[in-house]
Amino acid sequence: MSASLPTPLVEMRGISKSFGAVSALRHVSLSVLPGSVVGLVGDNAAGKSTLMKILAGAILPDSGSILIHGRPAVYDNPIGAREAGIEMIYQDFALVPELTVAQNIFLGREQVRRRWGGVRTLDTARMNRRARELFASLGLRVPSVTSPVQALSGGQQQAVAIARATGFEAELVIMDEPTANLGAPAIEKVRQTIEGLREKGVAVILISHRLEDIFAIGDRFVVMKRGEIVANREVGDTCSEEIVAMMVTGRDPRAEGPTA
Amino acid sequence: MFLVLALWIVILSLSSEHFLTATNLLNVARQAAPLIIIGVGMTFVMSTAGIDLSVGSTVALISVLAGSWLSAGLPAFVVLPLLLLVGALLGSLSGWVITLGVPAFVVTLAGLTSIRGLAFVYSDGYATPIVNPVMAWIGRGGILGVNAPFLIAMAVAVLGWFLLNRTRFGLHALATGGREEAARVMGLAINRIKIAVYALTGALAALGGIVISARLSNGSPNAGVMLELEVIAATVLGGTSLFGGRATIAGTVVGALLINFVRNGLNLLGVNPYWVQVVTGIILVLAVLVNTVLSRRVESWARATSEGDEGNAE
């Protein structure tokens, strides 16, 4: 290892995971540099979402380790991952429809205050105020932080999910298919959000079927197939034909080419 | 529901001179007390999208245990906490099995039959008279003219309201019922929450059982028959969703009062008491119909409006 290489923000080493007899991930390693945008691609059942849920603390791996800033990260639930600076935006946004916008944003890390000698009560006024500030600073729009999420449109619900993931000093934001089922203006908004995160030095892992999004805003492709990583490519060093071919065959032609 | 209750009270006040008397109102409040107490627990269970069918049987088991332990000479300050503990343990057991993946309906249906079975086994089917000053106060005492059961029910309702609306526990229970997968990936301790709501309901069923036994001065394995259905009716009537995520303690209190005011009013009007059950059933369906249809209308209206706003903003 050369000393000039920066320490990766996040490094996953030898991650394996099986669901019963099905092996979802086989010894997968992945590293992400600070402020970089990684596009994670692969067909269905390639293991992308499982790998990312492990990184986000929602699934525990059978084996393997995660390092953050070169130090082993010890968390076994999403709250631990979030405290370590890793946030995930789920494809279905993972919002509770009946709860308000502010309640969803603070879900699992509510602000409380002690009253009557120790009883911890929710500080709803403070959470509402901070949620409003958050939307203002991110330039996202929602009708009201006190309206229930189920009263919001799809685009507004995504804004809530983005605000929740980016509003708490995250260092890495994972986005699972953020542009699926969105119209052109909303896709542009997501791209702007990712650019904004990169400028702040926040890394992004983007799971997407839309290769053009990754070519437009990404730094690097990571291709997965059947629970393994097939290839790593700089965005400027590849084309969509090559990426698609690797997604389908599960083989990296450059790795095999010279030796064959 | 508040409107329906108010309307019913006005109609009854005009039709019967006995209805709007302090004695009668306090009497209805006392009859509603066990329903309110257990309904508060059911509101928490339903907020997690669960259900507890075993509360009536828990009332019976607690009733026979109260009769037996008190007549054995144990002091009330030992027996009553023990009974609450028994209720909480029975509830935790249900909750734990539910977290293993068995549907709440099945687990608590099993509780409904087996816990009442235990009550009969333990008592051999006989009722035991309860003679105890503390139980006598709970059953017939009061403060400043307000009877003790209703005071206990109000205290439970206020604490329950606080727990549901002002603490992380209440919020997390609602989140679990609203969308469990979202609650899970946000890191909420779903299994702990589920066990806790059933434990709470078990303890409150025990408290309801104590109040009922004190009122009847009797520990009976036949106490609380069909009570679970009445508690569920009161909770749903109040506006708590059977599917989780939406729950109201005030609504449950009103639902419990409404059921008892309907019964009381029809009695005063001289209606055959069997009709009371028919009317209660009809009111339940109408109330839920109005609730769901109205809330669906409001939701689609809200969504249409907010999408219109977004369209303008783009």
Side-chain angles (χ1 to χ4, degrees), chain A residues 24-70:
Chain A
L25 293 173
R26 272 173 288 197
H27 216 73
V28 173
S29 296
L30 173 73
S31 66
V32 180
L33 293 175
S36 67
V37 178
V38 175
L40 186 57
V41 297
D43 63 6
N44 294 329
K48 303 168 301 212
S49 289
T50 306
L51 186 67
M52 289 303 103
K53 282 181 181 171
I54 287 173
L55 190 53
I59 297 179
L60 293 183
D62 297 334
S63 62
S65 59
I66 297 172
L67 285 79
I68 297 176
H69 293 303

Short mmCIF file of all heavy atoms in Angstrom, two decimals, chain A residues 24-70:
data_model
loop_
_atom_site.label_atom_id
_atom_site.label_comp_id
_atom_site.label_asym_id
_atom_site.label_seq_id
_atom_site.Cartn_x
_atom_site.Cartn_y
_atom_site.Cartn_z
N ALA A 24 -26.45 -15.30 -0.47
CA ALA A 24 -26.75 -14.00 -1.08
C ALA A 24 -25.48 -13.21 -1.37
O ALA A 24 -25.40 -12.50 -2.36
CB ALA A 24 -27.67 -13.20 -0.18
N LEU A 25 -24.48 -13.33 -0.50
CA LEU A 25 -23.22 -12.61 -0.70
C LEU A 25 -22.07 -13.56 -0.40
O LEU A 25 -22.10 -14.28 0.59
CB LEU A 25 -23.14 -11.40 0.25
CG LEU A 25 -24.11 -10.25 0.02
CD1 LEU A 25 -23.98 -9.24 1.15
CD2 LEU A 25 -23.87 -9.59 -1.32
N ARG A 26 -21.06 -13.56 -1.30
CA ARG A 26 -19.91 -14.44 -1.09
C ARG A 26 -18.63 -13.63 -1.02
O ARG A 26 -18.13 -13.14 -2.02
CB ARG A 26 -19.84 -15.48 -2.22
CG ARG A 26 -20.68 -16.71 -1.90
CD ARG A 26 -20.72 -17.64 -3.06
NE ARG A 26 -21.56 -17.06 -4.12
CZ ARG A 26 -22.06 -17.76 -5.12
NH1 ARG A 26 -21.78 -19.03 -5.25
NH2 ARG A 26 -22.82 -17.18 -6.02
N HIS A 27 -18.14 -13.41 0.17
CA HIS A 27 -16.85 -12.80 0.38
C HIS A 27 -16.69 -11.49 -0.41
O HIS A 27 -15.77 -11.33 -1.22
CB HIS A 27 -15.76 -13.80 -0.02
CG HIS A 27 -14.56 -13.66 0.89
ND1 HIS A 27 -14.57 -14.09 2.20
CD2 HIS A 27 -13.34 -13.12 0.68
CE1 HIS A 27 -13.41 -13.84 2.75
NE2 HIS A 27 -12.64 -13.24 1.85
N VAL A 28 -17.60 -10.58 -0.17
CA VAL A 28 -17.61 -9.33 -0.93
C VAL A 28 -16.79 -8.26 -0.20
O VAL A 28 -16.92 -8.10 1.01
CB VAL A 28 -19.05 -8.83 -1.12
CG1 VAL A 28 -19.06 -7.46 -1.76
CG2 VAL A 28 -19.84 -9.82 -1.95
N SER A 29 -15.93 -7.57 -0.96
CA SER A 29 -15.19 -6.45 -0.39
C SER A 29 -15.44 -5.21 -1.23
O SER A 29 -15.52 -5.28 -2.45
CB SER A 29 -13.69 -6.76 -0.36
OG SER A 29 -13.46 -7.85 0.52
N LEU A 30 -15.57 -4.09 -0.54
CA LEU A 30 -15.93 -2.85 -1.23
C LEU A 30 -15.39 -1.69 -0.41
O LEU A 30 -15.49 -1.68 0.80
CB LEU A 30 -17.47 -2.76 -1.31
CG LEU A 30 -18.08 -1.47 -1.84
CD1 LEU A 30 -17.87 -1.37 -3.34
CD2 LEU A 30 -19.57 -1.42 -1.53
N SER A 31 -14.75 -0.71 -1.09
CA SER A 31 -14.34 0.47 -0.34
C SER A 31 -14.80 1.73 -1.05
O SER A 31 -14.96 1.76 -2.27
CB SER A 31 -12.83 0.47 -0.12
OG SER A 31 -12.18 0.62 -1.36
N VAL A 32 -15.03 2.75 -0.25
CA VAL A 32 -15.56 4.01 -0.77
C VAL A 32 -14.72 5.15 -0.22
O VAL A 32 -14.50 5.24 0.99
CB VAL A 32 -17.04 4.21 -0.34
CG1 VAL A 32 -17.58 5.52 -0.88
CG2 VAL A 32 -17.89 3.05 -0.81
N LEU A 33 -14.24 6.03 -1.12
CA LEU A 33 -13.44 7.17 -0.68
C LEU A 33 -14.36 8.31 -0.25
O LEU A 33 -15.49 8.41 -0.73
CB LEU A 33 -12.54 7.65 -1.83
CG LEU A 33 -11.45 6.67 -2.25
CD1 LEU A 33 -10.71 7.20 -3.47
CD2 LEU A 33 -10.48 6.42 -1.10
N PRO A 34 -13.87 9.18 0.64
CA PRO A 34 -14.70 10.30 1.07
C PRO A 34 -15.11 11.15 -0.14
O PRO A 34 -14.30 11.40 -1.04
CB PRO A 34 -13.78 11.09 1.99
CG PRO A 34 -12.71 10.15 2.42
CD PRO A 34 -12.56 9.18 1.30
N GLY A 35 -16.34 11.58 -0.16
CA GLY A 35 -16.82 12.49 -1.20
C GLY A 35 -16.94 11.88 -2.58
O GLY A 35 -17.12 12.60 -3.56
N SER A 36 -16.86 10.56 -2.70
CA SER A 36 -16.98 9.96 -4.03
C SER A 36 -18.38 9.40 -4.22
O SER A 36 -19.09 9.11 -3.27
CB SER A 36 -15.94 8.85 -4.22
OG SER A 36 -16.22 7.76 -3.36
N VAL A 37 -18.75 9.28 -5.49
CA VAL A 37 -20.08 8.75 -5.82
C VAL A 37 -19.90 7.42 -6.55
O VAL A 37 -19.34 7.37 -7.64
CB VAL A 37 -20.89 9.74 -6.69
CG1 VAL A 37 -22.24 9.14 -7.05
CG2 VAL A 37 -21.06 11.06 -5.95
N VAL A 38 -20.32 6.35 -5.90
CA VAL A 38 -20.15 5.00 -6.44
C VAL A 38 -21.50 4.49 -6.94
O VAL A 38 -22.48 4.53 -6.20
CB VAL A 38 -19.61 4.05 -5.35
CG1 VAL A 38 -19.55 2.61 -5.87
CG2 VAL A 38 -18.24 4.50 -4.88
N GLY A 39 -21.52 4.03 -8.18
CA GLY A 39 -22.74 3.43 -8.72
C GLY A 39 -22.66 1.92 -8.58
O GLY A 39 -21.74 1.29 -9.09
N LEU A 40 -23.60 1.35 -7.82
CA LEU A 40 -23.61 -0.10 -7.61
C LEU A 40 -24.67 -0.69 -8.54
O LEU A 40 -25.85 -0.38 -8.41
CB LEU A 40 -23.94 -0.38 -6.14
CG LEU A 40 -23.86 -1.82 -5.64
CD1 LEU A 40 -22.49 -2.42 -5.88
CD2 LEU A 40 -24.20 -1.86 -4.16
N VAL A 41 -24.20 -1.51 -9.50
CA VAL A 41 -25.14 -2.03 -10.49
C VAL A 41 -25.07 -3.55 -10.55
O VAL A 41 -24.09 -4.17 -10.11
CB VAL A 41 -24.86 -1.45 -11.90
CG1 VAL A 41 -25.06 0.05 -11.91
CG2 VAL A 41 -23.47 -1.83 -12.38
N GLY A 42 -26.10 -4.14 -11.12
CA GLY A 42 -26.20 -5.59 -11.23
C GLY A 42 -27.66 -5.94 -11.44
O GLY A 42 -28.53 -5.14 -11.10
N ASP A 43 -27.90 -7.14 -11.96
CA ASP A 43 -29.30 -7.48 -12.20
C ASP A 43 -29.96 -7.86 -10.87
O ASP A 43 -29.34 -7.81 -9.80
CB ASP A 43 -29.43 -8.60 -13.25
CG ASP A 43 -28.78 -9.90 -12.81
OD1 ASP A 43 -28.33 -9.96 -11.63
OD2 ASP A 43 -28.70 -10.84 -13.61
N ASN A 44 -31.23 -8.25 -10.93
CA ASN A 44 -31.95 -8.61 -9.71
C ASN A 44 -31.24 -9.80 -9.04
O ASN A 44 -30.68 -10.64 -9.72
CB ASN A 44 -33.40 -8.97 -10.03
CG ASN A 44 -34.15 -7.76 -10.55
OD1 ASN A 44 -33.86 -6.63 -10.16
ND2 ASN A 44 -35.10 -8.00 -11.43
N ALA A 45 -31.29 -9.84 -7.73
CA ALA A 45 -30.70 -10.93 -6.97
C ALA A 45 -29.18 -10.96 -7.07
O ALA A 45 -28.55 -11.96 -6.74
CB ALA A 45 -31.27 -12.29 -7.37
N ALA A 46 -28.57 -9.85 -7.49
CA ALA A 46 -27.11 -9.80 -7.52
C ALA A 46 -26.55 -9.60 -6.11
O ALA A 46 -25.38 -9.86 -5.85
CB ALA A 46 -26.63 -8.68 -8.43
N GLY A 47 -27.39 -9.12 -5.19
CA GLY A 47 -26.95 -8.93 -3.81
C GLY A 47 -26.69 -7.48 -3.43
O GLY A 47 -26.20 -7.20 -2.33
N LYS A 48 -27.05 -6.55 -4.33
CA LYS A 48 -26.77 -5.13 -4.07
C LYS A 48 -27.49 -4.66 -2.81
O LYS A 48 -26.86 -4.06 -1.91
CB LYS A 48 -27.26 -4.26 -5.24
CG LYS A 48 -26.68 -4.62 -6.58
CD LYS A 48 -27.44 -3.90 -7.70
CE LYS A 48 -28.88 -4.25 -7.67
NZ LYS A 48 -29.66 -4.31 -8.83
N SER A 49 -28.79 -4.91 -2.76
CA SER A 49 -29.56 -4.39 -1.62
C SER A 49 -29.15 -5.05 -0.31
O SER A 49 -29.06 -4.39 0.73
CB SER A 49 -31.06 -4.61 -1.84
OG SER A 49 -31.53 -3.74 -2.85
N THR A 50 -28.85 -6.37 -0.37
CA THR A 50 -28.41 -7.06 0.85
C THR A 50 -27.11 -6.46 1.36
O THR A 50 -26.96 -6.17 2.55
CB THR A 50 -28.22 -8.56 0.55
OG1 THR A 50 -29.42 -9.07 -0.02
CG2 THR A 50 -27.90 -9.32 1.81
N LEU A 51 -26.17 -6.22 0.42
CA LEU A 51 -24.87 -5.63 0.81
C LEU A 51 -25.07 -4.27 1.46
O LEU A 51 -24.47 -3.96 2.50
CB LEU A 51 -23.98 -5.51 -0.43
CG LEU A 51 -22.54 -5.06 -0.19
CD1 LEU A 51 -21.78 -6.11 0.60
CD2 LEU A 51 -21.84 -4.75 -1.50
N MET A 52 -25.96 -3.48 0.87
CA MET A 52 -26.17 -2.13 1.40
C MET A 52 -26.92 -2.15 2.73
O MET A 52 -26.68 -1.33 3.60
CB MET A 52 -26.92 -1.28 0.36
CG MET A 52 -26.08 -0.94 -0.86
SD MET A 52 -24.54 -0.06 -0.43
CE MET A 52 -23.33 -1.35 -0.57
N LYS A 53 -27.86 -3.11 2.86
CA LYS A 53 -28.57 -3.20 4.14
C LYS A 53 -27.61 -3.62 5.26
O LYS A 53 -27.79 -3.24 6.42
CB LYS A 53 -29.75 -4.17 4.04
CG LYS A 53 -30.95 -3.55 3.35
CD LYS A 53 -32.12 -4.51 3.26
CE LYS A 53 -33.30 -3.84 2.54
NZ LYS A 53 -34.37 -4.81 2.26
N ILE A 54 -26.60 -4.42 4.91
CA ILE A 54 -25.59 -4.79 5.91
C ILE A 54 -24.80 -3.55 6.31
O ILE A 54 -24.58 -3.28 7.49
CB ILE A 54 -24.66 -5.88 5.34
CG1 ILE A 54 -25.41 -7.22 5.29
CG2 ILE A 54 -23.39 -6.00 6.18
CD1 ILE A 54 -24.65 -8.33 4.60
N LEU A 55 -24.44 -2.74 5.31
CA LEU A 55 -23.68 -1.51 5.61
C LEU A 55 -24.52 -0.56 6.47
O LEU A 55 -24.00 0.12 7.35
CB LEU A 55 -23.27 -0.85 4.29
CG LEU A 55 -22.28 0.31 4.36
CD1 LEU A 55 -21.04 -0.08 5.15
CD2 LEU A 55 -21.91 0.77 2.96
N ALA A 56 -25.83 -0.56 6.22
CA ALA A 56 -26.72 0.34 6.95
C ALA A 56 -27.17 -0.24 8.29
O ALA A 56 -27.95 0.38 9.00
CB ALA A 56 -27.95 0.67 6.10
N GLY A 57 -26.70 -1.45 8.61
CA GLY A 57 -27.01 -2.02 9.92
C GLY A 57 -28.37 -2.71 10.01
O GLY A 57 -28.76 -3.15 11.07
N ALA A 58 -29.10 -2.80 8.87
CA ALA A 58 -30.44 -3.39 8.91
C ALA A 58 -30.38 -4.91 8.84
O ALA A 58 -31.32 -5.59 9.20
CB ALA A 58 -31.31 -2.84 7.78
N ILE A 59 -29.26 -5.46 8.32
CA ILE A 59 -29.06 -6.91 8.27
C ILE A 59 -27.66 -7.18 8.85
O ILE A 59 -26.74 -6.40 8.61
CB ILE A 59 -29.12 -7.45 6.82
CG1 ILE A 59 -30.49 -7.21 6.20
CG2 ILE A 59 -28.76 -8.93 6.76
CD1 ILE A 59 -30.60 -7.69 4.76
N LEU A 60 -27.52 -8.26 9.60
CA LEU A 60 -26.20 -8.61 10.12
C LEU A 60 -25.53 -9.61 9.18
O LEU A 60 -26.17 -10.57 8.75
CB LEU A 60 -26.33 -9.22 11.51
CG LEU A 60 -26.82 -8.28 12.60
CD1 LEU A 60 -26.83 -9.00 13.95
CD2 LEU A 60 -25.97 -7.04 12.69
N PRO A 61 -24.25 -9.41 8.84
CA PRO A 61 -23.56 -10.36 7.97
C PRO A 61 -23.20 -11.62 8.75
O PRO A 61 -23.08 -11.60 9.97
CB PRO A 61 -22.29 -9.60 7.55
CG PRO A 61 -22.03 -8.65 8.67
CD PRO A 61 -23.38 -8.29 9.25
N ASP A 62 -23.04 -12.76 8.01
CA ASP A 62 -22.59 -13.99 8.66
C ASP A 62 -21.11 -13.88 9.01
O ASP A 62 -20.67 -14.40 10.03
CB ASP A 62 -22.83 -15.19 7.73
CG ASP A 62 -24.31 -15.39 7.44
OD1 ASP A 62 -25.12 -14.97 8.28
OD2 ASP A 62 -24.63 -15.95 6.39
N SER A 63 -20.35 -13.25 8.11
CA SER A 63 -18.93 -13.06 8.38
C SER A 63 -18.46 -11.83 7.63
O SER A 63 -19.15 -11.31 6.76
CB SER A 63 -18.13 -14.30 7.94
OG SER A 63 -18.28 -14.48 6.55
N GLY A 64 -17.26 -11.38 7.97
CA GLY A 64 -16.72 -10.18 7.35
C GLY A 64 -16.72 -9.02 8.31
O GLY A 64 -17.29 -9.11 9.41
N SER A 65 -16.04 -7.93 7.92
CA SER A 65 -15.97 -6.78 8.82
C SER A 65 -16.15 -5.48 8.05
O SER A 65 -16.02 -5.44 6.84
CB SER A 65 -14.62 -6.78 9.56
OG SER A 65 -13.58 -6.72 8.61
N ILE A 66 -16.49 -4.45 8.80
CA ILE A 66 -16.68 -3.12 8.23
C ILE A 66 -15.74 -2.17 8.95
O ILE A 66 -15.66 -2.18 10.18
CB ILE A 66 -18.14 -2.66 8.41
CG1 ILE A 66 -19.09 -3.60 7.65
CG2 ILE A 66 -18.31 -1.23 7.92
CD1 ILE A 66 -20.56 -3.34 7.92
N LEU A 67 -14.98 -1.39 8.17
CA LEU A 67 -14.10 -0.39 8.75
C LEU A 67 -14.57 0.99 8.33
O LEU A 67 -14.92 1.21 7.17
CB LEU A 67 -12.65 -0.58 8.29
CG LEU A 67 -11.87 -1.76 8.91
CD1 LEU A 67 -12.26 -3.05 8.24
CD2 LEU A 67 -10.39 -1.52 8.80
N ILE A 68 -14.57 1.91 9.27
CA ILE A 68 -14.91 3.29 8.96
C ILE A 68 -13.71 4.14 9.35
O ILE A 68 -13.24 4.07 10.49
CB ILE A 68 -16.18 3.73 9.71
CG1 ILE A 68 -17.36 2.88 9.24
CG2 ILE A 68 -16.46 5.21 9.46
CD1 ILE A 68 -18.65 3.14 9.98
N HIS A 69 -13.19 4.91 8.39
CA HIS A 69 -11.94 5.66 8.59
C HIS A 69 -10.82 4.73 9.06
O HIS A 69 -10.02 5.09 9.92
CB HIS A 69 -12.12 6.79 9.61
CG HIS A 69 -13.03 7.88 9.12
ND1 HIS A 69 -12.81 8.57 7.95
CD2 HIS A 69 -14.18 8.37 9.63
CE1 HIS A 69 -13.78 9.44 7.76
NE2 HIS A 69 -14.63 9.34 8.76
N GLY A 70 -10.81 3.52 8.55
CA GLY A 70 -9.75 2.58 8.89
C GLY A 70 -9.92 1.88 10.22
O GLY A 70 -9.11 1.03 10.57
#
